[in-house]
Amino acid sequence: MPLVPIVTLPDEKILRQVSRPVASVDASVARLWDDMLETMYHAPGIGLAAIQIGVPLRLIVIDLAKDGEEKKPVFLANPEVIWASEAQNDYEEGCLSIPEFYEMVTRPADVKVRYQNRRGEPREIEASGLMATCLQHEIDHLNGVLFIDHISRLKRDRVLKKFQKAQKLGKL
Ligand code: GNR
Ligand code: NI
């Protein structure tokens, strides 16, 4: 199973795309999920959206297992937030598409997400804590939204500029 390069800033042409739903969870989707999972584990990261490897489909993988714990990957197709709590939570977020940048983000503390699993069956998951944050972060990716869109404009513009400059200097 191949490791796939992760798309990073300043490549907003890819990262800002709105991904399209998968019509059916078939063998090609399973293969893509497996490539995403391997790429995510290698990075390492706790979640990955297909657009981060350049594929504009509404597919996510998440695995919150810590180093040395048994892996428990979750595969989600066409995920939708169907409920979000009023209560908010702050979490210091990072993103494999924005390497080495971390900032506090406020989001709903608890969410309910509807999706299709690896067999194409409809499922719902109610999540809190890091899982709730990660689900929202990944679903944002499917809509072309990055976590820096949830921080101040000053900080966002600063990080965008940094990546644009790094590319111009041949450092990306
Ligand atoms: O690996 C990741 N860690 C993380 C930490 C806090 C909030 C969100 C995340 S997701 C990120 C991987 C990633 O970029 N997924 O899109
Ligand atoms: Ni991300």
Side-chain angles (χ1 to χ4, degrees):
M1 284 292 155
L3 274 176
V4 189
I6 293 177
V7 177
T8 65
L9 287 180
D11 193 349
E12 293 189 89
K13 189 145 184 286
I14 300 287
L15 292 172
R16 294 303 188 180
Q17 285 184 32
V18 177
S19 295
R20 59 176 192 280
V22 293
S24 72
V25 177
D26 57 16
S28 69
V29 165
R31 221 161 24 235
L32 185 54
W33 265 329
D34 290 340
D35 293 350
M36 289 166 60
L37 193 69
E38 186 186 352
T39 302
M40 182 191 85
Y41 284 149
H42 180 260
I46 57 171
L48 197 75
I51 195 63
Q52 294 180 274
I53 59 165
V55 179
L57 291 173
R58 302 187 81 80
L59 297 171
I60 289 170
V61 294
I62 294 177
D63 192 335
L64 301 186
K66 303 209 177 67
D67 256 9
E69 286 179 9
E70 197 182 330
K71 297 196 181 324
K72 30 179 190 285
V74 184
F75 302 92
L76 303 95
N78 305 325
E80 292 174 74
V81 175
I82 55 170
W83 173 82
S85 62
E86 296 283 335
Q88 304 283 116
N89 194 16
D90 295 338
Y91 216 98
E92 180 162 77
E93 298 198 16
C95 182
L96 295 173
S97 296
I98 314 174
E100 292 168 59
F101 180 76
Y102 304 89
E103 196 59 59
M104 293 300 282
V105 175
T106 303
R107 301 181 185 269
D110 312 282
V111 290
K112 197 180 279 188
V113 172
R114 182 174 293 153
Y115 66 100
Q116 289 157 266
N117 69 8
R118 197 104 182 161
R119 294 176 176 151
E121 298 157 342
R123 287 285 180 271
E124 285 180 16
I125 181 174
E126 190 167 340
S128 58
L130 181 57
M131 187 62 171
T133 290
C134 193
L135 282 164
Q136 293 173 82
H137 175 116
E138 303 311 337
I139 292 169
D140 269 356
H141 275 301
L142 305 183
N143 296 321
V145 174
L146 300 171
F147 86 87
I148 54 171
D149 300 334
H150 298 285
I151 66 178
S152 77
R153 178 162 187 177
L154 181 70
K155 286 178 179 169
R156 177 169 60 254
D157 287 351
R158 205 186 275 149
V159 68
L160 285 168
K161 279 232 165 67
K162 193 192 91 165
F163 280 94
Q164 282 157 8
K165 183 172 173 191
Q167 187 171 66
K168 284 202 188 89
L169 295 172
K171 290 179 179 168
L172 278 178

